[in-house]
Amino acid sequence: MTAQDAENLLFDAGFGLIRSKGSHRIYFKENIRVIVPYHSGKILHPKIVKQVLKAIEITEE
């Protein structure tokens, strides 16, 4: 999963981009903050992918 894929999933789940600092983008929804390192074309580390999917799962419950 790339950073663009993760961003699309977060936007579809209702997260909003609150700020960007350097190469990291910070998304927020209902007291859940997700930080995604944004390097275009690079594959995200499995721990980051797990964090994104967990955040989406929590907000859908």
Side-chain angles (χ1 to χ4, degrees), residues 10-56:
L10 289 167
F11 285 150
D12 290 345
F15 281 80
L17 177 65
I18 56 171
R19 66 187 172 102
S20 177
K21 184 172 183 177
S23 63
H24 291 75
R25 293 186 180 180
I26 299 150
Y27 305 90
F28 189 79
K29 178 185 175 185
E30 299 174 6
N31 296 327
I32 298 174
R33 183 181 67 179
V34 181
I35 302 169
V36 178
Y38 203 90
H39 303 282
S40 60
K42 302 269 182 159
I43 302 298
L44 292 174
H45 191 277
K47 287 183 180 180
I48 301 295
V49 174
K50 186 175 180 179
Q51 176 190 10
V52 168
L53 295 176
K54 183 178 178 184
I56 291 170

